[in-house]
Amino acid sequence: MAKADLVIVANRLPVDRVVGGDGQPGWRRSPGGLVTALEPVMRANDGAWIGWPGGTETGLKPFKEDGLQLVPVSLSEEDVEEFYEGFSNGTLWPLFHDLVAKPEFHREWWDAYVRVNRRFAEKAADVATEGATVWVQDYQLLLVPQMLRELRPDLRIAIYLHIPFPPTELFQQLPWRRQLLEGMLGADLIGFQLPGGAANFVRLVRQRVGHKTHRDRVYLPDGRIVRAKAYPISIDVEGFEELARSESVQARAKEIREALGDPETIFLGIDRLDYTKGIYARLRAFGELLSEGDLEVGRAMFVQVATPSRERVEQYRILRDDIDRLVGRLNGDLGQIGRPAIVYMHTSYPREEMAALYLAADVMVVTPYRDGMNLVAKEYVACRFEGDGALVLSEFAGAAAELKQAWLVNPYDLNGMKAALLEAATADPKEIGRRMRAMRKTVTENDVKHWATTFLEDLTELGDGEALEVETAE
Ligand code: G6P
């Protein structure tokens, strides 16, 4: 196996293993923001990517796919249930997202989390060259930095959390809170989406682990210094804009509008089907606007794309049924022949189709109850190269810290959401343009390349100069 100077360790590989109708295995791009963000970084650095290819197949060898060096980690059926669906997505995901759903605490899930994190750490220790940089990703692998440091003290290790880091009061609920904090502290640099998350972490480390801290620094007893800092993630802005400008995508956007019957206002939601995303509430708000006569069926339409996700986890099944029922009821009550209230697709689309949808929409609706960043909001802005299009955005998405000119909403406030949807739909084009241009400036100046470069540069500097700074730090 070829070794690499930059190693990404993420729960998922950037591609999922799928078996086609002809029985032949193939690869399909994985869902979610993490892959979207890191793929360009990998390509630029010629690194290796360690991750789970989906499924439970064993014995998969490292391979190259589309120019990327990929190193698969196998999960057994039990690992998938207890580590992935269990501790990662039944405990940490809801706990880190403000308890939008109730987290479950099971000791067997924790044991599986430790076991699988160790497997990832061992794989990283095998793949990294002497002195290499290893960049661990997200909440599924919080123990990897410490485990890896024990195996390979020569490495430069970082971890980035793509989801929110919760307030201390919530994190304290976790029976294994101290172990998780110590696991993360194995890194030299810990990245968060927002400064608030980094501050929560540092406070917890002080309270729960008892280390000395100063601003974004944690001082370990062995003399090591760990930094916890915010690096708001972004997207490949140029890539999306280029797609949106392409003739084929523009033609497809027109086709989509026509197929929908050329409504005056198309509202669009694109999300993984996840209870954090606030899909139910936003469709209810739209339904009420129709039934109360503020919007008219046929003239206004809501297109909702929900990408299948974590389908065996109970909360996700419940959500899917709830949304199915709501869409059915709203279309049954409000729709007319050839003019549904809501066009709902439970599927995932390639980037080209997403770009066409972004172009076809008048109002993009992104209303999570809690979201680390939300890259869909940024993708929409990147695609609107003509400086038009309205964005309704939840205050509780990390993206709201940057996209201040969106129509910001509290997704728990149904009336507020209705008012914002209506305002965005009827706003003066000049006002829409003013807001969109300001957001485009922000997004263009902070693309994913900028995110990765700043993070990796900080990491390099830490290793080189930090020791001197220690003496003068306090
Ligand atoms: C979010 C998480 C990622 C995750 C993605 C898709 O973006 O931050 O770590 O990979 O969702 O979820 P899945 O469970 O399908 O990997």
Side-chain angles (χ1 to χ4, degrees), residues 10-13 16 30-36 52 84-85 88-89 93 97 137-140 161-164 193 272 274 277 308-311 316 371-372 375:
N11 180 49
R12 273 189 190 276
L13 283 179
D16 270 351
S30 310
L34 183 149
V35 167
T36 319
W52 171 51
Y84 170 70
E85 295 167 346
S88 298
N89 291 310
W93 180 268
H97 285 89
Q137 308 292 325
D138 231 358
Y139 62 101
Q140 303 93 341
L161 186 68
H162 293 250
I163 68 173
Q193 297 281 16
R272 267 186 319 102
D274 194 296
K277 302 286 183 185
S309 188
R310 308 173 191 165
E311 290 186 283
Y316 289 77
D371 210 332
L375 297 182

Side-chain angles (χ1 to χ4, degrees), residues 238-296:
E238 237 175 88
F240 267 98
E241 177 161 348
E242 216 176 280
L243 257 186
R245 284 182 185 275
S246 74
E247 260 176 50
S248 57
V249 166
Q250 294 199 29
R252 177 66 190 141
K254 257 182 93 186
E255 205 175 273
I256 291 172
R257 284 198 80 100
E258 278 165 20
L260 294 170
D262 268 326
E264 246 159 60
T265 314
I266 297 176
F267 294 83
L268 174 67
I270 302 184
D271 313 80
R272 267 186 319 102
L273 187 49
D274 194 296
Y275 49 79
T276 57
K277 302 286 183 185
I279 303 171
Y280 191 91
R282 89 172 66 126
L283 294 181
R284 252 189 86 190
F286 178 73
E288 288 190 14
L289 287 172
L290 287 179
S291 60
E292 289 161 9
D294 292 307
L295 293 174
E296 200 183 308

Side-chain angles (χ1 to χ4, degrees), residues 37 42 57 61 65 88 103 125 155 175 221 236 249 266 283 293 300 326 330 362 413 458 468:
M42 274 287 291
E57 194 151 343
K61 297 268 174 304
E65 170 71 19
S88 298
L155 299 176
D236 175 11
V249 166
I266 297 176
L283 294 181
L326 179 68
L330 292 175
D362 301 292
D413 171 11
D458 276 7
L468 282 175

